[in-house]
């Protein structure tokens, strides 16, 4: 998916439209691109293209509802990390049985060192919008 191609000309003006999403991976990669941009206006625009307005977010640092809550989480946690500039990277293929998808990720420092790893699950609507995000940070605990 090309996240920069979100406008088309209609009747002499421009109108924002959603680019067609072919796969779950496209939606997930657009979400990660939004998390990685340092420009708050671009982040809000990218999130508006990929998230349902009432998206719910569940993770180890709390819960939130709505695009604004997700945007605030990205700003506070991803973009304001105390060790300096970091980025999210998808580390696995996307496993997508029907409307649910899961993928592995790494939060890495500028030199590529892993700060944190985990697995996210997302639910996509029939329109291709992410309406639920569940974050699992760190490795799965061992039995026993």
């Amino acid at each position: 998916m090309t996240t920069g191609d979100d406008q088309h000309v209609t009747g002499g003006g421009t109108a924002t439209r959603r680019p067609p999403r072919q796969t779950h991976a496209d939606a997930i990669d657009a979400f990660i691109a939004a998390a990685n941009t340092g420009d708050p206006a671009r982040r809000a625009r990218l999130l508006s293209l990929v998230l349902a307005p009432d998206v719910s977010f569940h993770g180890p640092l709390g819960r939130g509802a709505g695009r604004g809550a997700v945007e605030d989480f990205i700003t506070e946690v991803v973009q304001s990390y105390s060790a300096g500039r970091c980025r999210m990277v998808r580390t696995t293929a996307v496993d997508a049985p029907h409307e649910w998808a899961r993928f592995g990720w790494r939060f890495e420092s500028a030199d590529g060192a892993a700060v944190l790893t985990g697995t996210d699950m997302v639910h996509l609507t029939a329109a291709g919008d992410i309406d639920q995000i569940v974050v699992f940070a760190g490795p799965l605990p061992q039995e026993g």
Side-chain angles (χ1 to χ4, degrees), residues 92-119:
T92 68
V94 174
D95 181 26
H98 309 289
E99 71 273 11
W100 284 96
R102 68 179 174 162
F103 63 97
W105 53 265
R106 178 177 64 241
F107 186 55
E108 67 181 30
S109 62
D111 66 1
V115 174
L116 184 64
T117 61
T119 301

Side-chain angles (χ1 to χ4, degrees), residues 5-50:
D5 183 23
D6 60 348
Q7 295 199 349
H8 69 283
V9 176
T10 57
T14 52
T16 301
R17 66 170 170 84
R18 291 178 182 271
R21 260 184 234 103
Q22 301 295 313
T23 68
H24 290 73
D26 292 332
I28 290 164
D29 290 345
F31 173 74
I32 291 171
N36 286 335
T37 185
D39 178 351
R42 182 168 170 16
R43 182 178 317 118
R45 185 179 60 77
L46 289 171
L47 290 174
S48 75
L49 293 172
V50 73

Side-chain angles (χ1 to χ4, degrees), residues 112-137:
V115 174
L116 184 64
T117 61
T119 301
D120 282 9
M121 291 185 355
V122 298
H123 181 266
L124 271 68
T125 66
D129 297 322
I130 297 172
D131 68 347
Q132 294 181 61
I133 303 168
V134 181
V135 176
F136 294 92

